[in-house]
Amino acid sequence: MRWQNLRPSAAFLRTRVARRVLLLFSVCALVPVAALAVTSYFVVSKQLHDQSLERVTHENREARQAVAERLTNVRLDLAGISEMLRRRMGEGPLEGALDSFVTASPRLRGVTLQTGSDEAVRLGGPASVPSALSAKQRENLGSGKEVLAIAHGEAGPMIFVGRILEVRAGTQHVVWLSLDHEYLAVGEEGRSIPTDMELCLLDYEYTVLFCTMPLADATVNEWRSGATVPSQFEWRSGGETYIGGSTQISLGYEWASPNLTVVVSQPRLDFFDSVGTFKRWFPLIILLTVLVALYLSNVQIRTSMDPLEKLQEGTQRIAARDFDSRVHVESQDEFQDLATSFNAMANRLGRQFNALTTINEIDRAVLSALDTDVIVDTVLARARGVIECDGVALSLAESDGAAPQWTLFATAANGSGRAVKNVQLSEEELGELAKHREFMFLGPERRPSYLDVPVFRDGGIRSFLVLPIFLKQKLSGAITLGYTHDPPVGEEDVVQARQLADQVAVALSNARLLEELDDFNWGALAALAQTVDAKSPWTAGHSQRVTQSSLRVGRKMGLDPEQLDVLHRGGLLHDIGKIGVPAEVLDKPGRLNDEEYAVMKQHVTIGARILKPIAAYAGMIPIVLRHHERMDGTGYPDGLVGEEIPFLARLLAVPDVFDALTSDRPYRKAMPYSEATALIESESGDHFDPQVVAAFKAAMQEPESEAPQELRPVFPEVGTA
């Protein structure tokens, strides 16, 4: 996996598969993790809550025990003070005798002696005694037991402990100790519970005797209305929630006093300090888990999606006929194997498509070709697009018979060389080709003589795939693909090569058929021309000479091949209408009279009527009909002027008149070339087109032997009989 896949990205989510995989991953991974985390949170919270309640209960019991122990200490103080007072009774005034003791004691606020006459004698600290006692308390005092009384005054509740002090028989005093609330609640050290907890001490009326923090009035009132304090409860103060526990200190038996209530509480936030820490870290842990899961899913999905996207893009490129592009995947897994197979498929499809495209192009080229040379050039140039090879050759039989002459056309793979060679195939070679009608492979040891050409020898071509071509069940040629090594050709390649050979066979057949039809057409034209010329001994060869001269002029004026072909055919048949002119008019030894001349002029319209039914000859009718029109409008049949006369008719008019002037006629001898040329020049602008006259003069100055092959006589021998 490449390092780029480790970089987080959301671009892969644009595919439906990626979004589906991410959703599945989230459902299968993130949802269970989140559910487990939430469950863990509530389980941990409950466990911490239970543990905290146990802690509050434990601390509550510890506080209750501590209060009981402090009361025991107070009892000892009370016993000691009582004993001291007994000894000092009658020795002097007791007023303020215990000030120093009270001041030094953290337990006491004051010591008061209540005499039998209810006089309160201050022994230390402020003098104070309980205002009233219950019958039980008076009974306890009478029996010599200690009493704990709580008095409620304007200054708040006060806690008293007292006992009988017998001075003499019949005289009883009560020593009252006013206790310090804080000592009774928390002890001398000032804090008997953990610092994160709060402690409250309440009397039997739920009046707060001491509290490390104020209790909410609503909470206290609720307790009073319920006549009991729940062992576990919650209360609010100052916008904060507290969790607390309560326990009763039983004072009825020992002190003849209603119970005291100890309340230990802890703020909920502190109570769940561990939970709070867990709550603070829990979202971060979840977020980190989600991020890690998303990161890993990103990496994994990209590892899967990137190859899929590349394969999808490759498929789209193939659909767009871009078979040269390749998919590069280096995931070291099945995706890489799939990409390798995909590239092999793309390469194969590309070869097949290129081959089919090339075959199609070759089909269009060769099937539209009208001559063999175009077919040969197309096969040599395009065959390598159908099947890979190092050389191409096309052999064609030029004649029929037992030992036909063959022509070999060959070229190298890069098109650098081309050879044309006339070869003679032996009977054995012809038989081998006839035997393997579809194809055959030839190795270096079987190189046939008809493939022994420099192009192949110099190129190191030593093996061949030969595809015979049959026309009308006759062996007429062969396509040969050459290789420098053993041909790396598969069955599909052979099928495509065979398809190419069959198409070439069809094209050659069409070309030969067209050549035969063309030869027949020209033969028909020549026969018609000879028929016209043979009607009168004086016009023998006229059509051939006029056609030859016209083609030379047309080439001098730059006519395209199509115009030259029309001119060629029109020249041969320009006098076809003379078939309808009586022989006595054609061969009259003297000048024609007006009536005879009128008959003679009809030969152009007769010729046009003869050719009109033949659609292929429509292009030459203007030549036949208009070659006797004159530039000044005095010609026939319609007296056209200037450029109203078709151009090819204007062109042929000059050679036509020139040949008539330079040929013998019944009524005169042939005019010398120089005089005829001078006459043509003198008629320039009146009878003839000046441009044609200039081109005619220039063409006639060229040696006839230097004229192109197609401008030479159409038929070498013209009979005169």
Side-chain angles (χ1 to χ4, degrees), residues 1 176 210 233 281 287 345 347 472 512 522 527 575 612 714:
M1 181 174 59
W176 293 104
F210 173 83
F233 57 89
W281 283 99
L287 178 60
M345 179 192 69
N347 180 61
K472 298 179 181 179
R512 291 191 178 182
W522 284 110
D575 280 341
K612 186 176 181 180
V714 177

Side-chain angles (χ1 to χ4, degrees), residues 90-127:
E91 295 180 359
L94 297 177
E95 182 79 23
L98 298 178
D99 279 339
S100 59
F101 177 79
V102 172
T103 302
S105 175
R107 305 180 182 122
L108 304 178
R109 291 183 178 180
V111 180
T112 304
L113 179 64
Q114 186 178 16
T115 66
S117 59
D118 288 336
E119 180 184 358
V121 179
R122 187 185 72 83
L123 301 180

